[in-house]
Amino acid sequence: MSDFLNAYSIQTWLESCPQGYLEHTAFGHDPDAKEPNLVLENPTLREDSISGTVQLVVGERAALAASSGLINCAPDYASKRFLATQTLDEARHVEIFTQRLYDLGVKKDELEDVISQHANPNLVKFAEVLLEKVDKGDFLAGVVGQNIVLEGMAFSVFEMMHASNVDANPKFAQTLSGTIADERRHVGFGENRIGSLLVEQPERKSEIEQMQKEMTYHMLATFADRFRADNGAIEESRRIIQKAGGDQKSQVWHGTDLANADSEQMESVLANTVLGEFKTRLARIGLEYQAPAQP
Ligand SMILES: [Fe+2]
Ligand SMILES: [Fe+2]
């Protein structure tokens, strides 16, 4: 337990995060960095960036509600303190992605309308399954849903977006890299804390696996909406960037070149990566991954 106490203490958090990789940043990036002109000036690219960023805000708002809600039902003070740092991380994520919407030209008084207009209904359902457990004060299910499922998904989505943006949009890529570092800490806590609790309460396993299955279904449906239904927008954005002579350097992520993959390949590399992570992490805490129906 003492390693656990150290790794997840507020002191460690202060040194590695605010006094570490976030030092000298503003809203998660170099204070002078700006969105690329092409994104700001082209209506299709701007709209696509707004829509993608709204999904991040929706996911992070759910993470904020979940991590703060879990503090009071955590069974020990080490977990409560860690969740307090996580709550601040998630509030920061909400803030920096909301700030990106403002940077993309969303007006402050339009924010909630823009979010409800673009929020993917499947992502909203994904969050509802988790928050229902949190609202009941179910620490075990809440931590699996938040720190393994939601954050396992967020981690891979952010990494994929980071690979796509590292040359094209360094400002956004830097914002994502600080977020990825935070998510890595959150996922680590989930694995470390829940494994031992599940050993004490094996009777909870099947119900928690059922939640994972439901959340996974809504997650895959969200990916399907993004890569199948919005396929036109993805192709159109790529054509505009090519026409403008934008960066077409290949960006290989988990074996797929994101700069040239079609949307079906993009959906499959993301889904396969996230599901692979779920299987590994769930196995580490003693749960068996449950495959949902294919959306
Ligand atoms: Fe987050
Ligand atoms: Fe997180």
Side-chain angles (χ1 to χ4, degrees):
M1 193 81 176
S2 82
D3 283 354
F4 175 83
L5 289 176
N6 267 334
Y8 300 108
S9 68
I10 291 173
Q11 185 58 35
T12 301
W13 175 79
L14 283 170
E15 287 168 20
S16 67
C17 180
Q19 298 162 6
Y21 52 84
L22 292 182
E23 228 188 344
H24 310 304
T25 60
F27 297 103
H29 57 78
D30 182 329
D32 299 327
K34 301 259 181 297
E35 290 292 321
N37 284 335
L38 187 61
V39 172
L40 296 175
E41 287 159 12
N42 183 285
T44 308
L45 292 186
R46 183 175 159 268
E47 193 69 7
D48 193 46
S49 301
I50 289 174
S51 170
T53 307
V54 163
Q55 312 318 319
L56 303 186
V57 173
V58 170
E60 296 296 353
R61 282 182 174 186
L64 173 59
S67 52
S68 57
L70 288 168
I71 296 176
N72 277 337
C73 54
D76 59 280
Y77 274 88
S79 299
K80 286 177 193 287
R81 284 187 288 117
F82 176 78
L83 286 165
T85 68
Q86 181 174 349
T87 297
L88 196 54
D89 291 334
E90 306 303 358
R92 184 181 84 84
H93 300 164
V94 171
E95 180 170 274
I96 59 182
F97 294 129
T98 303
Q99 181 60 44
R100 184 173 192 233
L101 291 175
Y102 297 146
D103 294 348
L104 291 166
V106 172
K107 304 270 179 294
K108 294 203 170 162
D109 60 356
E110 297 167 353
L111 179 70
E112 295 307 322
D113 287 343
V114 168
I115 291 175
S116 23
Q117 184 195 334
H118 288 279
N120 184 304
N122 280 302
L123 184 59
V124 173
K125 283 189 204 138
F126 171 90
E128 281 168 2
V129 176
L130 164 64
L131 293 176
E132 199 180 300
K133 302 289 185 189
V134 175
D135 287 345
K136 281 190 200 145
D138 186 339
F139 182 72
L140 260 183
V143 173
V144 174
Q146 158 76 19
N147 295 58
I148 307 282
V149 181
L150 187 153
E151 305 196 292
M153 170 184 79
F155 188 78
S156 296
V157 167
F158 292 154
E159 273 199 339
M160 186 183 184
M161 292 177 103
H162 182 268
S164 306
N165 283 281
V166 71
D167 293 317
N169 189 340
K171 168 198 177 251
F172 186 40
Q174 190 186 359
T175 308
L176 288 166
S177 69
T179 315
I180 290 168
D182 293 341
E183 299 306 348
R184 185 173 291 125
R185 197 164 52 243
H186 303 164
V187 170
F189 167 80
E191 283 182 16
N192 282 303
R193 188 65 195 105
I194 287 305
S196 57
L197 286 176
L198 269 175
V199 171
E200 292 161 20
Q201 302 175 56
E203 71 284 359
R204 299 287 323 275
K205 284 186 183 180
S206 66
E207 172 208 334
I208 293 174
E209 286 168 347
Q210 180 58 35
M211 171 197 69
Q212 168 264 303
K213 187 175 173 183
E214 262 182 74
M215 289 181 77
T216 306
Y217 175 82
H218 295 308
M219 175 190 82
L220 293 174
T222 306
F223 294 168
D225 290 341
R226 173 66 185 154
F227 292 106
R228 292 178 223 168
D230 303 345
N231 184 9
I234 295 172
E235 302 286 316
E236 176 67 8
S237 300
R238 187 172 285 163
R239 265 197 301 278
I240 294 163
I241 294 168
Q242 275 164 355
K243 211 171 141 207
D247 214 305
Q248 285 303 303
K249 261 192 268 174
S250 70
Q251 273 313 333
V252 179
W253 188 71
H254 291 274
T256 297
D257 179 6
L258 301 178
N260 294 298
D262 62 26
S263 54
E264 199 182 314
Q265 291 167 317
M266 305 263 275
E267 181 184 346
S268 105
V269 69
L270 178 58
N272 291 337
T273 303
V274 176
L275 297 183
E277 298 271 331
F278 281 1
K279 283 171 199 163
T280 313
R281 295 204 168 107
L282 289 165
R284 277 190 207 135
I285 59 170
L287 291 175
E288 202 178 319
Y289 170 75
Q290 306 295 318
Q294 201 65 32

